[in-house]
Amino acid sequence: MAMPRFDKGLDLNIVNDTDSVAELMEWLRNDRNRSAIGIDVETTGLSWNRPGDDLRMVQIGDRSAGFAIPWHRWGGVFMECLDKWDGPIVLHNMQFDLKFLERYADWKIPWERMHDTMIMAKIMRPGKPAKLKPLATQFVDPAADFMQGRLQKAFDDNNWGWDTVPLDLPAYW
């Protein structure tokens, strides 16, 4: 299932069947101009080592497309993407995301290819907030936080949290 493309041509997708896995692999294989990929994790809690705090979804993308991947069903596909990609990998708050990936995937992290935009923001703007969505909205695309309001409304209307929001809710993925 793909969401509509945004003004800048961003194509967002959820991996939920073998056809969407094939689309993800085609995307990874075919963009010769890609300089980096971004990854992110979505969890049920904020502590990678606390029982019950679980990895729910992982995301991978670049300037043209993004793929949300439910971890317990398709996590191996995400790990295959990371194994195939040999370029730079960008994260925001790398320490958090990589702890979950180490715990759940036993991944050997290629530290020399890792870039943390939260650390970069703190160096470039000392003393200022370094939250991902405001930074992305300010420096990348004014529509970067487009779905945040919809997600918060869904949380409020349904009494959902990070551990209960449906994985297939477009505002979440």
Side-chain angles (χ1 to χ4, degrees), residues 89-104:
I89 300 172
V90 179
L91 303 96
H92 191 82
N93 192 4
M94 180 170 68
Q95 177 181 359
F96 178 83
D97 292 356
L98 295 182
K99 287 289 187 187
F100 273 92
L101 289 176
E102 284 178 322
R103 176 179 168 194
Y104 283 90

Side-chain angles (χ1 to χ4, degrees), residues 3-145:
M3 290 181 68
R5 292 176 68 84
F6 289 90
D7 289 342
K8 298 207 178 207
L10 184 62
D11 188 16
L12 301 178
N13 307 276
I14 187 165
V15 173
N16 57 7
D17 57 27
T18 55
D19 289 340
S20 55
V21 169
E23 289 173 25
L24 168 60
M25 292 305 182
E26 185 72 14
W27 164 82
L28 186 64
R29 203 174 20 253
N30 282 333
D31 188 346
R32 302 284 183 238
N33 296 317
R34 182 179 299 121
S35 58
I37 60 169
I39 63 172
D40 188 28
V41 304
E42 300 299 335
T43 64
T44 62
L46 299 177
S47 180
W48 63 272
N49 62 356
R50 183 175 48 214
D53 282 2
D54 197 15
L55 181 57
R56 293 193 77 208
M57 184 178 304
V58 289
Q59 298 153 329
I60 187 170
D62 65 7
R63 68 187 176 284
S64 64
F67 294 83
I69 305 166
W71 178 257
H72 290 290
R73 185 119 194 245
W74 301 101
V77 171
F78 177 77
M79 296 313 301
E80 185 175 341
C81 290
L82 293 183
D83 288 342
K84 288 179 184 289
W85 175 253
D86 62 0
I89 300 172
V90 179
L91 303 96
H92 191 82
N93 192 4
M94 180 170 68
Q95 177 181 359
F96 178 83
D97 292 356
L98 295 182
K99 287 289 187 187
F100 273 92
L101 289 176
E102 284 178 322
R103 176 179 168 194
Y104 283 90
D106 194 29
W107 183 42
K108 182 171 176 359
I109 299 164
W111 291 106
E112 69 281 1
R113 297 189 290 124
M114 294 294 171
H115 302 275
D116 189 336
T117 56
M118 187 172 78
I119 293 171
M120 292 175 188
K122 288 182 177 190
I123 291 169
M124 293 177 67
R125 302 162 23 115
K128 295 193 177 183
K131 291 184 176 182
L132 175 61
K133 289 193 177 67
L135 287 169
T137 300
Q138 182 177 358
F139 294 109
V140 179
D141 184 344
D145 65 353

